Amino acid sequence: MSAQDRLTDALYGLGWGTVKKLPEPVAARLGRTIADLAWKQRGKGVQRLESNYARVVPGAGPERLAELSRAGMRSYLRYWMESFRLPAWSEERVRDGFEPKDLHHLTEGLAAGKGVILALPHLANWDLAGAWVTTELGIPFTTVAERLKPESLYDRFVAYREGLGMEVLPHSGGTAFGTLARRLRDGGLVCLVADRDLSASGVEVGFFGDTARMPAGPALLAQQTGALLLPVTLWYDESPVMRGRVHPPVEVPESGTRTEKTSVMTQALADAFATGIADHPEDWHMLQRLWLADLDPAKGTS
């Protein structure tokens, strides 16, 4: 392990070991302080966040974009402060920490025994939403995690999410899809963060006026297993409670090839994600390049 990897792992370990012991108001203030310091330094992540917000809020001038990126960093650090503290939260605190709308789409889908796929963008705190599902609803689920470097950091994330009641599969290795399909055929629940393609073989979608690439997995799983595909969007307000919405199901088209159906369904997911992101852009934690024009200018329109 390199010195940089050891430092990264140590810092995350410090976060999980120390922040969870802080009183909640102290942790919240610490998060805002770190966020503001990072924002003022205007590193690559902050600049990318601001560039992404410029697409989401196309009429925003420099002052508005600066306000958004500062709020975005505060939201991002709220996610981390909550995540570091989640393992120490009581069941009551987890239950009180999330309030979703239109939950009936999920509960009715599971009651029908079809299996359900929840697909989410990087909005607010998806780990808290998952902990709420396992705690308040008592429903276990399976998810996929990107393999991080160093390996010890990935192991920390897996242990953290498993401690919240999730079954975690590695994104790489080729076996995740088959396991997810089996869980769904058994009537289970699968949750996937699905607004950024990690495989370079995703589906091109229109997203805020330009072309991006999103993973095909949710749509393919729904087609192959008959599971219900539900987009979910999350957001913060000024309260300690995170809000969310379960959107209506993305239907499998009646005609077309598998590729054509996957394209239509993934576009429907992107459209649902876009509504939540447009309403709460500061809660979209996308500090990486997403649009093809940013990944490869030759493939984009800008």
Side-chain angles (χ1 to χ4, degrees):
M1 186 188 300
S2 69
Q4 180 63 43
D5 285 348
R6 285 196 298 272
L7 177 61
T8 300
D9 183 58
L11 287 173
Y12 278 99
L14 181 66
W16 269 302
T18 302
V19 173
K20 70 180 180 182
K21 298 176 183 177
L22 297 175
E24 194 157 340
V26 175
R29 286 196 300 271
L30 176 62
R32 288 193 297 270
T33 300
I34 296 171
D36 289 349
L37 286 172
W39 177 76
K40 288 176 182 176
Q41 290 176 353
R42 293 195 59 78
K44 289 183 178 179
V46 173
Q47 292 180 48
R48 175 50 51 191
L49 185 67
E50 206 164 286
S51 176
N52 289 339
Y53 286 159
R55 292 180 178 274
V56 173
V57 189
E63 186 175 339
R64 172 62 176 144
L65 287 175
E67 291 174 355
L68 272 175
S69 64
R70 184 181 187 186
M73 289 305 295
R74 286 188 167 193
S75 176
Y76 185 48
L77 264 294
R78 176 173 171 175
Y79 159 77
W80 277 113
M81 292 297 116
E82 287 180 348
S83 295
F84 287 144
R85 290 178 50 77
L86 260 176
W89 279 13
S90 66
E91 289 189 2
E92 181 181 12
R93 178 65 183 90
V94 172
R95 291 190 177 102
D96 292 343
F98 181 42
E99 189 175 282
K101 299 179 180 178
D102 299 327
L103 190 64
H104 65 93
H105 292 305
L106 169 60
T107 54
E108 291 171 3
L110 289 171
K114 297 174 61 176
V116 174
I117 306 157
L118 297 181
L120 307 88
H122 286 81
L123 273 169
N125 191 338
W126 45 97
D127 284 329
L128 172 54
W132 186 90
V133 166
T134 60
T135 303
E136 173 66 16
L137 302 183
I139 299 170
F141 66 87
T142 305
T143 189
V144 174
E146 179 183 1
R147 277 203 176 276
L148 302 171
K149 292 183 178 180
E151 189 75 14
S152 57
L153 179 57
Y154 171 76
D155 292 340
R156 284 186 189 273
F157 270 94
V158 170
Y160 156 65
R161 290 185 170 128
E162 288 179 343
L164 299 176
M166 311 175 192
E167 179 188 24
V168 183
L169 308 175
H171 182 269
S172 58
T175 61
F177 188 92
T179 303
L180 295 173
R182 286 194 296 274
R183 299 292 182 268
L184 291 168
R185 290 193 184 98
D186 290 339
L189 176 63
V190 164
C191 299
L192 301 170
V193 179
D195 58 343
R196 179 169 170 256
D197 179 53
L198 296 174
S199 67
S201 60
V203 178
E204 292 189 4
V205 295
F207 196 56
F208 289 103
D210 211 336
T211 304
R213 188 183 292 118
M214 294 188 181
L220 288 171
L221 283 167
Q223 292 177 62
Q224 188 164 314
T225 68
L228 205 62
L229 176 55
L230 301 175
V232 177
T233 53
L234 309 170
W235 65 93
Y236 290 129
D237 57 20
E238 297 303 315
S239 78
V241 180
M242 183 177 69
R243 315 295 174 175
R245 180 188 173 200
V246 182
H247 295 250
V250 172
E251 304 291 346
V252 178
E254 294 183 2
S255 61
T257 64
R258 185 174 73 164
T259 299
E260 290 168 344
K261 291 178 180 179
T262 301
S263 178
V264 170
M265 295 172 73
T266 306
Q267 182 64 62
L269 277 182
D271 293 343
F273 294 166
T275 63
I277 294 167
D279 287 343
H280 304 278
E282 68 279 3
D283 291 324
W284 189 41
H285 309 149
M286 185 55 65
L287 281 73
Q288 299 86 20
R289 298 175 187 272
L290 181 72
W291 283 270
L292 298 193
D294 296 330
L295 292 165
D296 183 354
K299 294 183 179 180
T301 58
S302 60

